[in-house]
Amino acid sequence: MKGIASVLLAIVIGIVLLWLAVELLIGAIKLVGILIAIAIAVGVYFFAERAIGKGR
């Protein structure tokens, strides 16, 4: 009986750790996406600034 309880506990802990890992991975992907979007926005801003500056 004690062996079965240990196996069940190990399975439950494994599932919880896997769920946490997936949640952290999704959060990291969202963060990277936001950072890439900010970098693109800054690049477009500087490109537009140079284009407008040349026209003046």
Side-chain angles (χ1 to χ4, degrees):
M1 192 68 183
K2 191 174 183 181
I4 294 172
S6 295
V7 170
L8 288 176
L9 183 62
I11 291 172
V12 169
I13 290 173
I15 291 171
V16 169
L17 289 177
L18 185 63
W19 177 76
L20 284 174
V22 168
E23 289 293 320
L24 288 174
L25 181 65
I26 291 171
I29 290 171
K30 286 180 184 177
L31 182 61
V32 168
I34 290 170
L35 292 176
I36 290 172
I38 291 171
I40 290 171
V42 169
V44 168
Y45 170 78
F46 281 115
F47 177 77
E49 192 70 25
R50 286 184 184 170
I52 293 171
K54 288 180 182 176
R56 289 183 187 168

